[in-house]
Amino acid sequence: MNTKNAQPANRLFSSHDLLILILPLFLEQALAITVGMADTMMVSNAGEAAVSGVSLIDMFNNLIFSVLSALATGGAVVTSQFLGARKKDQASHSVMQLIVSSLLITIVISALIIAASSPIIRLFFGSIEDSVFDAALLYMIISAFSYPFLAVYNSSAAIFRVINRTEVTLKVSIVMNLINVVGNAIGIFVLHAGVVGVAVPSLISRMFAAIVLYVLLHNPNLEIHIEPGKFRFDPGLIRKIYYIGIPSGVENGIFQLGRVIVVSIISGFGTVQIAANGVANSLDQMGVIGGQTMNLAMIAVIGRCVGAGDEEQIRHYTKKLLLITYALTLLCCGSILLFLKPLLSLYGLSAGTTALASILVRIHDGCAILCWPLAFTFPNMLRACNDVKYTMGISIFSMFAFRIALSVILGQQMGYGAIGVWIGMLVDWVFRILCFVVRYRKGTWRRLAHLTPAAG
């Protein structure tokens, strides 16, 4: 049925539906990032070497997390398209395919990282001080044990978002992060366990969240759910998930790898710049909470529209979700900039580290208000329309051509340090925006989403 001229009465998502989807997602993202900041603040009591070690491995962990998130995104796109096409049996069948395939991949990744943790750290951060290396090594090994649980959690959470039950993931996230924060406080201030006091509670909290969400997915009253005893490998369906997930995983993995390379460049500038970069990154994550929220919402909403074969609604919700993203980014980044001085004082760092962190946050958040939604939320519309290879290619090229190359030129060769690195990041953002906007206007995504052929 051609629904190109659908009226508002036929919308797949009412404003209330979007609120129910977005608000819990926003609170969940805010909670996770706030807890991440609390981790950094608490571990700072163990010294700048501990802060530096944790911040370096957090960059590496983000590489792994982004790959797991991309696999979950692949499953979410496929499942949401099935729902949009009203194929609930196939949507339910896709759930276990996603969970099992991502879990198996992650177990292999975890084993490899644990076995090669020391060489990995030396490869990326070889010039760091011994005390920073020791903290990083311990944090990496403990973190790697949590990856399989995180894979199950991400996959299960993605399914709950697809069926617009984000309040479930919010509740589980609250308990998960409460376990993490209380555990951190005990580990740092009571047991004086340093890096271990931060890493072990994270592992325990992820185990809890993975198990709870997996069990909840067995509820037969859910729109889609796991049916016990009916699992069988479906290579065709797994290929569909991987068609979206693997390019997105490669894109996200390369993006985070590029960030790790950039941090390895910064690590050569000394402990002050490493610590300032780590603190600035934690605050900047708060600034883009709205954008991270809308990344998830964009996949769920546009994927459903693609399944319904409705181009008009794809365009309508793309514009609407982008406007919401800009409003949330303005609110979050503006708040960070307004209260930057008292926020930085919470970290208890040296005056030089605090001053540099302040500059980096101002560069990021000031420009993110204008650029971040189009550079990072908007391309999720293309991914939901199966246009994943293009977004992957642009992201990889931009990372190496601008972010990494300019980090070397501005940061190392011209002596601007971390500030030069972050200027390279801004150039990367602008290039991405130009490419993604041109791609949208060209309309290739219409063909890939199996709508009418793109013009030309």
Side-chain angles (χ1 to χ4, degrees):
M1 181 176 67
N2 183 2
T3 57
K4 184 174 181 178
N5 296 316
Q7 299 301 310
N10 299 324
R11 296 291 184 209
L12 291 172
F13 296 87
S14 66
S15 295
H16 182 258
D17 291 333
L18 291 179
L19 179 63
I20 291 175
L21 173 68
I22 293 169
L23 182 58
L25 279 177
F26 180 82
L27 295 175
E28 183 181 346
Q29 294 296 309
L31 181 63
I33 291 172
T34 302
V35 168
M37 283 183 59
D39 285 354
T40 304
M41 291 176 186
M42 281 190 274
V43 80
S44 68
N45 287 272
E48 290 201 358
V51 174
S52 297
V54 169
S55 67
L56 290 177
I57 300 306
D58 274 342
M59 295 295 293
F60 183 84
N61 281 341
N62 287 338
L63 188 158
I64 304 300
F65 298 165
S66 67
V67 172
L68 301 182
S69 177
L71 288 174
T73 295
V77 169
V78 171
T79 303
S80 62
Q81 290 179 355
F82 279 141
L83 281 179
R86 300 183 179 180
K87 298 178 180 178
K88 291 187 179 181
D89 288 343
Q90 288 178 269
S92 291
H93 181 54
S94 69
V95 174
M96 276 303 293
Q97 305 298 318
L98 169 62
I99 292 174
V100 172
S101 58
S102 62
L103 179 60
L104 292 176
I105 289 175
T106 311
I107 289 173
V108 174
I109 292 173
S110 297
L112 292 174
I113 290 174
I114 291 170
S117 54
S118 182
I120 290 172
I121 295 173
R122 289 296 185 197
L123 174 64
F124 289 110
F125 315 115
S127 61
I128 58 178
E129 300 169 5
D130 289 343
S131 58
V132 176
F133 175 85
D134 292 340
L137 179 63
L138 197 56
Y139 191 65
M140 172 178 275
I141 292 174
I142 298 174
S143 295
F145 279 102
S146 73
Y147 296 164
F149 298 103
L150 197 60
V152 174
Y153 171 77
N154 280 345
S155 299
S156 302
I159 299 304
F160 277 105
R161 292 172 192 131
V162 165
I163 60 176
N164 208 4
R165 293 295 302 275
T166 51
E167 79 282 359
V168 175
T169 59
L170 173 61
K171 292 174 183 177
V172 173
S173 180
I174 290 173
V175 180
M176 176 179 69
N177 285 292
L178 184 62
I179 293 171
N180 193 22
V181 170
V182 173
N184 286 347
I186 294 172
I188 295 293
F189 300 114
V190 178
L191 301 178
H192 305 288
V195 170
V196 175
V198 173
V200 171
S202 295
L203 169 60
I204 295 172
S205 66
R206 289 166 186 165
M207 291 173 62
F208 165 82
I211 293 169
V212 170
L213 280 188
Y214 178 75
V215 170
L216 290 176
L217 273 178
H218 287 75
N219 183 355
N221 295 322
L222 295 175
E223 188 175 8
I224 56 176
H225 57 274
I226 295 172
E227 299 179 352
K230 292 189 177 182
F231 173 75
R232 59 177 176 80
F233 276 106
D234 187 335
L237 189 52
I238 290 176
R239 279 196 297 271
K240 289 189 69 174
I241 293 172
Y242 283 175
Y243 177 82
I244 305 294
I246 288 179
S248 295
V250 171
E251 175 188 341
N252 290 352
I254 294 295
F255 177 76
Q256 294 297 337
L257 177 61
R259 293 188 69 190
V260 172
I261 293 172
V262 167
V263 171
S264 72
I265 294 172
I266 293 175
S267 69
F269 302 151
T271 302
V272 167
Q273 298 222 16
I274 296 174
N277 185 72
V279 169
N281 274 322
S282 69
L283 286 173
D284 292 342
Q285 286 300 306
M286 288 190 65
V288 297
I289 289 173
Q292 298 286 6
T293 299
M294 299 308 296
N295 287 353
L296 300 171
M298 186 75 79
I299 289 291
V301 172
I302 302 302
R304 186 78 70 97
C305 296
V306 170
D310 195 324
E311 180 186 337
E312 190 276 337
Q313 295 207 63
I314 292 172
R315 294 181 181 275
H316 168 78
Y317 286 116
T318 296
K319 294 175 183 177
K320 187 167 187 174
L321 294 177
L322 270 179
L323 287 174
I324 296 172
T325 308
Y326 268 105
L328 291 175
T329 305
L330 176 61
L331 173 65
C332 295
C333 288
S335 298
I336 294 294
L337 293 173
L338 184 62
F339 299 104
L340 182 55
K341 187 173 181 179
L343 284 172
L344 286 174
S345 69
L346 297 175
Y347 288 87
L349 301 174
S350 65
T353 302
T354 300
L356 179 57
S358 176
I359 294 172
L360 298 180
V361 172
R362 293 178 190 279
I363 291 173
H364 180 281
D365 285 10
C367 296
I369 293 171
L370 297 175
C371 299
W372 208 95
L374 278 175
F376 295 100
T377 301
F378 179 57
N380 276 331
M381 171 267 171
L382 299 176
R383 296 183 186 103
C385 293
N386 305 319
D387 197 0
V388 289
K389 293 181 180 178
Y390 180 81
T391 59
M392 177 185 70
I394 292 300
S395 297
I396 292 173
F397 173 81
S398 186
M399 169 60 68
F400 286 98
F402 300 110
R403 190 171 295 210
I404 294 177
L406 289 179
S407 293
V408 173
I409 295 170
L410 297 176
Q412 285 185 330
Q413 297 180 359
M414 298 183 66
Y416 287 102
I419 294 175
V421 169
W422 286 48
I423 292 173
M425 172 193 71
L426 301 183
V427 176
D428 170 46
W429 289 3
V430 172
F431 178 79
R432 288 168 184 265
I433 291 171
L434 293 174
C435 292
F436 294 143
V437 169
V438 169
R439 184 71 166 185
Y440 176 80
R441 293 179 65 85
K442 186 177 179 182
T444 307
W445 54 272
R446 297 166 69 231
R447 171 176 54 80
L448 295 172
H450 306 297
L451 302 171
T452 56

Short mmCIF file of all heavy atoms in Angstrom, two decimals, residues 13-30 161 164-167 169-170 289-298 300-301 317 320-325 328:
data_model
loop_
_atom_site.label_atom_id
_atom_site.label_comp_id
_atom_site.label_asym_id
_atom_site.label_seq_id
_atom_site.Cartn_x
_atom_site.Cartn_y
_atom_site.Cartn_z
N PHE A 13 3.91 6.73 15.16
CA PHE A 13 4.25 7.15 16.52
C PHE A 13 3.59 8.49 16.81
O PHE A 13 3.83 9.47 16.11
CB PHE A 13 5.77 7.31 16.68
CG PHE A 13 6.55 6.04 16.50
CD1 PHE A 13 6.95 5.63 15.25
CD2 PHE A 13 6.87 5.25 17.60
CE1 PHE A 13 7.67 4.45 15.08
CE2 PHE A 13 7.60 4.08 17.45
CZ PHE A 13 7.99 3.68 16.18
N SER A 14 2.77 8.53 17.84
CA SER A 14 2.21 9.80 18.28
C SER A 14 3.27 10.54 19.10
O SER A 14 4.30 9.97 19.45
CB SER A 14 0.97 9.55 19.15
OG SER A 14 1.34 8.90 20.36
N SER A 15 3.00 11.80 19.42
CA SER A 15 3.92 12.55 20.27
C SER A 15 4.07 11.87 21.63
O SER A 15 5.15 11.85 22.22
CB SER A 15 3.43 13.99 20.44
OG SER A 15 3.44 14.67 19.20
N HIS A 16 2.99 11.29 22.11
CA HIS A 16 3.03 10.57 23.39
C HIS A 16 3.91 9.33 23.28
O HIS A 16 4.68 9.01 24.20
CB HIS A 16 1.62 10.19 23.83
CG HIS A 16 1.57 9.50 25.16
ND1 HIS A 16 1.41 8.14 25.29
CD2 HIS A 16 1.67 10.00 26.42
CE1 HIS A 16 1.41 7.82 26.57
NE2 HIS A 16 1.56 8.93 27.28
N ASP A 17 3.80 8.62 22.16
CA ASP A 17 4.64 7.44 21.93
C ASP A 17 6.12 7.82 21.95
O ASP A 17 6.95 7.12 22.54
CB ASP A 17 4.31 6.79 20.59
CG ASP A 17 2.94 6.13 20.57
OD1 ASP A 17 2.48 5.72 21.65
OD2 ASP A 17 2.34 6.04 19.48
N LEU A 18 6.44 8.93 21.29
CA LEU A 18 7.84 9.37 21.25
C LEU A 18 8.32 9.77 22.64
O LEU A 18 9.47 9.49 23.01
CB LEU A 18 8.00 10.55 20.28
CG LEU A 18 7.81 10.23 18.79
CD1 LEU A 18 7.96 11.51 17.96
CD2 LEU A 18 8.79 9.18 18.32
N LEU A 19 7.45 10.41 23.41
CA LEU A 19 7.83 10.78 24.77
C LEU A 19 8.11 9.55 25.61
O LEU A 19 9.11 9.49 26.35
CB LEU A 19 6.71 11.62 25.41
CG LEU A 19 6.97 12.07 26.86
CD1 LEU A 19 8.18 13.00 26.92
CD2 LEU A 19 5.72 12.77 27.42
N ILE A 20 7.26 8.54 25.48
CA ILE A 20 7.44 7.30 26.23
C ILE A 20 8.74 6.61 25.82
O ILE A 20 9.42 5.99 26.64
CB ILE A 20 6.24 6.36 26.01
CG1 ILE A 20 5.00 6.93 26.67
CG2 ILE A 20 6.53 4.95 26.55
CD1 ILE A 20 3.73 6.15 26.39
N LEU A 21 9.10 6.71 24.54
CA LEU A 21 10.34 6.12 24.05
C LEU A 21 11.56 6.91 24.50
O LEU A 21 12.54 6.34 25.01
CB LEU A 21 10.31 6.05 22.52
CG LEU A 21 11.60 5.61 21.81
CD1 LEU A 21 11.90 4.15 22.11
CD2 LEU A 21 11.50 5.85 20.32
N ILE A 22 11.51 8.24 24.33
CA ILE A 22 12.70 9.07 24.49
C ILE A 22 13.03 9.38 25.95
O ILE A 22 14.20 9.33 26.35
CB ILE A 22 12.53 10.39 23.70
CG1 ILE A 22 12.49 10.09 22.19
CG2 ILE A 22 13.65 11.38 24.02
CD1 ILE A 22 12.06 11.27 21.34
N LEU A 23 12.02 9.68 26.77
CA LEU A 23 12.30 10.10 28.15
C LEU A 23 13.05 9.04 28.96
O LEU A 23 14.08 9.36 29.57
CB LEU A 23 11.01 10.51 28.85
CG LEU A 23 11.17 11.02 30.29
CD1 LEU A 23 12.11 12.22 30.33
CD2 LEU A 23 9.81 11.37 30.90
N PRO A 24 12.60 7.78 28.97
CA PRO A 24 13.40 6.78 29.70
C PRO A 24 14.79 6.59 29.11
O PRO A 24 15.75 6.38 29.85
CB PRO A 24 12.55 5.50 29.56
CG PRO A 24 11.16 5.97 29.31
CD PRO A 24 11.34 7.21 28.49
N LEU A 25 14.90 6.67 27.78
CA LEU A 25 16.22 6.56 27.15
C LEU A 25 17.14 7.69 27.61
O LEU A 25 18.32 7.46 27.90
CB LEU A 25 16.09 6.61 25.62
CG LEU A 25 15.69 5.34 24.89
CD1 LEU A 25 15.56 5.60 23.40
CD2 LEU A 25 16.69 4.23 25.15
N PHE A 26 16.59 8.89 27.67
CA PHE A 26 17.39 10.04 28.10
C PHE A 26 17.85 9.87 29.54
O PHE A 26 19.02 10.09 29.87
CB PHE A 26 16.57 11.33 27.96
CG PHE A 26 17.31 12.57 28.38
CD1 PHE A 26 18.17 13.19 27.51
CD2 PHE A 26 17.13 13.10 29.65
CE1 PHE A 26 18.86 14.34 27.89
CE2 PHE A 26 17.81 14.24 30.03
CZ PHE A 26 18.68 14.86 29.15
N LEU A 27 16.92 9.47 30.40
CA LEU A 27 17.27 9.27 31.81
C LEU A 27 18.29 8.15 31.97
O LEU A 27 19.21 8.23 32.79
CB LEU A 27 16.01 8.96 32.62
CG LEU A 27 14.97 10.10 32.69
CD1 LEU A 27 13.71 9.62 33.42
CD2 LEU A 27 15.56 11.33 33.38
N GLU A 28 18.14 7.10 31.16
CA GLU A 28 19.08 5.98 31.21
C GLU A 28 20.48 6.42 30.78
O GLU A 28 21.49 6.07 31.42
CB GLU A 28 18.58 4.85 30.31
CG GLU A 28 19.44 3.60 30.35
CD GLU A 28 18.92 2.51 29.44
OE1 GLU A 28 17.76 2.60 28.98
OE2 GLU A 28 19.68 1.57 29.16
N GLN A 29 20.56 7.19 29.67
CA GLN A 29 21.85 7.67 29.21
C GLN A 29 22.46 8.64 30.22
O GLN A 29 23.67 8.58 30.49
CB GLN A 29 21.69 8.38 27.86
CG GLN A 29 21.26 7.48 26.71
CD GLN A 29 22.29 6.44 26.38
OE1 GLN A 29 23.47 6.75 26.18
NE2 GLN A 29 21.88 5.19 26.31
N ALA A 30 21.63 9.51 30.77
CA ALA A 30 22.13 10.47 31.77
C ALA A 30 22.67 9.74 32.98
O ALA A 30 23.73 10.10 33.53
CB ALA A 30 21.01 11.43 32.18
N ARG A 161 13.80 -1.51 23.39
CA ARG A 161 13.61 -0.20 22.76
C ARG A 161 12.76 -0.32 21.51
O ARG A 161 11.94 0.56 21.22
CB ARG A 161 14.97 0.41 22.43
CG ARG A 161 15.78 0.79 23.66
CD ARG A 161 17.19 1.22 23.31
NE ARG A 161 18.02 1.31 24.51
CZ ARG A 161 19.21 0.78 24.66
NH1 ARG A 161 19.76 0.12 23.63
NH2 ARG A 161 19.88 0.90 25.77
N ASN A 164 9.24 -0.28 22.24
CA ASN A 164 8.84 0.92 22.99
C ASN A 164 8.58 0.63 24.46
O ASN A 164 7.66 1.18 25.07
CB ASN A 164 7.60 1.57 22.36
CG ASN A 164 7.57 3.08 22.61
OD1 ASN A 164 8.50 3.64 23.18
ND2 ASN A 164 6.48 3.72 22.19
N ARG A 165 9.45 -0.22 25.04
CA ARG A 165 9.36 -0.52 26.47
C ARG A 165 10.65 -0.06 27.16
O ARG A 165 11.29 -0.80 27.89
CB ARG A 165 9.14 -2.02 26.69
CG ARG A 165 7.80 -2.54 26.20
CD ARG A 165 6.64 -1.95 26.98
NE ARG A 165 6.75 -2.24 28.41
CZ ARG A 165 6.32 -3.38 28.98
NH1 ARG A 165 5.76 -4.31 28.24
NH2 ARG A 165 6.45 -3.56 30.28
N THR A 166 11.01 1.18 26.89
CA THR A 166 12.26 1.71 27.42
C THR A 166 12.22 1.91 28.93
O THR A 166 13.26 2.04 29.57
CB THR A 166 12.62 3.05 26.75
OG1 THR A 166 11.48 3.93 26.80
CG2 THR A 166 13.00 2.84 25.30
N GLU A 167 11.01 1.91 29.52
CA GLU A 167 10.94 2.03 30.97
C GLU A 167 11.54 0.80 31.66
O GLU A 167 12.05 0.89 32.78
CB GLU A 167 9.49 2.25 31.43
CG GLU A 167 8.62 1.01 31.48
CD GLU A 167 8.09 0.55 30.12
OE1 GLU A 167 8.41 1.22 29.12
OE2 GLU A 167 7.39 -0.47 30.07
N THR A 169 14.25 -0.97 30.51
CA THR A 169 15.70 -0.82 30.52
C THR A 169 16.13 0.28 31.49
O THR A 169 17.20 0.21 32.09
CB THR A 169 16.24 -0.50 29.12
OG1 THR A 169 15.65 0.71 28.61
CG2 THR A 169 15.94 -1.63 28.15
N LEU A 170 15.27 1.30 31.66
CA LEU A 170 15.59 2.37 32.62
C LEU A 170 15.63 1.82 34.04
O LEU A 170 16.57 2.10 34.81
CB LEU A 170 14.56 3.49 32.52
CG LEU A 170 14.68 4.60 33.59
CD1 LEU A 170 16.03 5.30 33.50
CD2 LEU A 170 13.54 5.60 33.45
N ILE A 289 24.46 13.71 25.94
CA ILE A 289 23.47 12.73 26.41
C ILE A 289 22.24 12.73 25.51
O ILE A 289 21.72 11.67 25.13
CB ILE A 289 23.05 13.05 27.86
CG1 ILE A 289 24.19 12.76 28.83
CG2 ILE A 289 21.82 12.24 28.26
CD1 ILE A 289 23.89 13.20 30.25
N GLY A 290 21.78 13.93 25.16
CA GLY A 290 20.60 14.02 24.30
C GLY A 290 20.84 13.38 22.95
O GLY A 290 19.98 12.66 22.42
N GLY A 291 22.01 13.63 22.38
CA GLY A 291 22.34 13.05 21.09
C GLY A 291 22.44 11.54 21.14
O GLY A 291 21.93 10.83 20.27
N GLN A 292 23.08 11.00 22.19
CA GLN A 292 23.19 9.55 22.35
C GLN A 292 21.81 8.93 22.50
O GLN A 292 21.54 7.84 21.99
CB GLN A 292 24.06 9.21 23.57
CG GLN A 292 25.50 9.70 23.49
CD GLN A 292 26.34 8.87 22.54
OE1 GLN A 292 25.85 7.99 21.84
NE2 GLN A 292 27.64 9.16 22.53
N THR A 293 20.95 9.61 23.22
CA THR A 293 19.57 9.13 23.38
C THR A 293 18.87 9.05 22.03
O THR A 293 18.23 8.03 21.69
CB THR A 293 18.78 10.08 24.30
OG1 THR A 293 19.39 10.10 25.58
CG2 THR A 293 17.33 9.66 24.42
N MET A 294 18.99 10.10 21.26
CA MET A 294 18.28 10.16 19.99
C MET A 294 18.89 9.22 18.94
O MET A 294 18.20 8.83 17.99
CB MET A 294 18.24 11.60 19.47
CG MET A 294 17.53 12.57 20.41
SD MET A 294 15.87 12.01 20.91
CE MET A 294 15.04 12.04 19.32
N ASN A 295 20.16 8.87 19.08
CA ASN A 295 20.74 7.85 18.21
C ASN A 295 19.94 6.56 18.31
O ASN A 295 19.63 5.91 17.30
CB ASN A 295 22.19 7.57 18.60
CG ASN A 295 23.14 8.68 18.22
OD1 ASN A 295 22.76 9.63 17.53
ND2 ASN A 295 24.38 8.58 18.65
N LEU A 296 19.62 6.16 19.54
CA LEU A 296 18.86 4.95 19.77
C LEU A 296 17.42 5.09 19.30
O LEU A 296 16.85 4.18 18.69
CB LEU A 296 18.89 4.60 21.27
CG LEU A 296 20.28 4.36 21.87
CD1 LEU A 296 20.20 4.24 23.39
CD2 LEU A 296 20.92 3.12 21.28
N ALA A 297 16.82 6.25 19.57
CA ALA A 297 15.44 6.49 19.15
C ALA A 297 15.31 6.50 17.64
O ALA A 297 14.32 5.98 17.09
CB ALA A 297 14.94 7.81 19.75
N MET A 298 16.28 7.09 16.96
CA MET A 298 16.25 7.18 15.50
C MET A 298 16.20 5.79 14.87
O MET A 298 15.43 5.54 13.92
CB MET A 298 17.46 7.95 14.98
CG MET A 298 17.46 8.23 13.49
SD MET A 298 16.34 9.55 12.99
CE MET A 298 17.27 11.02 13.42
N ALA A 300 15.09 2.94 16.22
CA ALA A 300 13.81 2.27 16.50
C ALA A 300 12.67 2.85 15.66
O ALA A 300 11.87 2.11 15.08
CB ALA A 300 13.48 2.39 17.99
N VAL A 301 12.61 4.18 15.56
CA VAL A 301 11.50 4.83 14.87
C VAL A 301 11.62 4.68 13.36
O VAL A 301 10.67 4.25 12.68
CB VAL A 301 11.42 6.32 15.27
CG1 VAL A 301 10.39 7.06 14.41
CG2 VAL A 301 11.07 6.46 16.74
N TYR A 317 9.68 11.81 10.50
CA TYR A 317 10.28 11.52 11.79
C TYR A 317 11.77 11.83 11.83
O TYR A 317 12.31 12.14 12.89
CB TYR A 317 10.03 10.05 12.17
CG TYR A 317 8.60 9.81 12.61
CD1 TYR A 317 7.75 8.97 11.88
CD2 TYR A 317 8.09 10.43 13.74
CE1 TYR A 317 6.45 8.76 12.26
CE2 TYR A 317 6.77 10.23 14.13
CZ TYR A 317 5.96 9.40 13.39
OH TYR A 317 4.66 9.20 13.78
N LYS A 320 11.70 15.49 12.68
CA LYS A 320 11.20 15.71 14.04
C LYS A 320 12.23 15.27 15.08
O LYS A 320 12.49 15.99 16.06
CB LYS A 320 9.90 14.93 14.23
CG LYS A 320 9.21 15.22 15.56
CD LYS A 320 7.78 14.67 15.56
CE LYS A 320 7.04 15.09 16.82
NZ LYS A 320 5.61 14.69 16.78
N LEU A 321 12.84 14.12 14.87
CA LEU A 321 13.81 13.62 15.83
C LEU A 321 15.09 14.47 15.83
O LEU A 321 15.72 14.64 16.87
CB LEU A 321 14.15 12.15 15.53
CG LEU A 321 12.99 11.16 15.74
CD1 LEU A 321 13.42 9.75 15.35
CD2 LEU A 321 12.50 11.18 17.18
N LEU A 322 15.45 15.01 14.66
CA LEU A 322 16.62 15.90 14.61
C LEU A 322 16.36 17.19 15.40
O LEU A 322 17.25 17.68 16.10
CB LEU A 322 16.97 16.24 13.17
CG LEU A 322 17.95 15.30 12.47
CD1 LEU A 322 18.18 15.75 11.03
CD2 LEU A 322 19.29 15.24 13.21
N LEU A 323 15.15 17.74 15.27
CA LEU A 323 14.82 18.95 16.03
C LEU A 323 14.88 18.68 17.53
O LEU A 323 15.39 19.50 18.31
CB LEU A 323 13.42 19.45 15.64
CG LEU A 323 13.31 20.11 14.26
CD1 LEU A 323 11.85 20.42 13.95
CD2 LEU A 323 14.14 21.40 14.22
N ILE A 324 14.39 17.53 17.95
CA ILE A 324 14.45 17.16 19.37
C ILE A 324 15.90 17.01 19.80
O ILE A 324 16.29 17.44 20.90
CB ILE A 324 13.67 15.86 19.62
CG1 ILE A 324 12.18 16.07 19.33
CG2 ILE A 324 13.86 15.39 21.07
CD1 ILE A 324 11.35 14.79 19.38
N THR A 325 16.73 16.43 18.92
CA THR A 325 18.15 16.24 19.24
C THR A 325 18.85 17.57 19.44
O THR A 325 19.64 17.73 20.38
CB THR A 325 18.86 15.45 18.12
OG1 THR A 325 18.14 14.25 17.84
CG2 THR A 325 20.29 15.09 18.53
N LEU A 328 17.80 19.04 22.84
CA LEU A 328 18.43 18.36 23.96
C LEU A 328 19.93 18.66 24.04
O LEU A 328 20.49 18.83 25.14
CB LEU A 328 18.22 16.84 23.84
CG LEU A 328 16.79 16.33 24.04
CD1 LEU A 328 16.70 14.84 23.76
CD2 LEU A 328 16.31 16.63 25.46
#
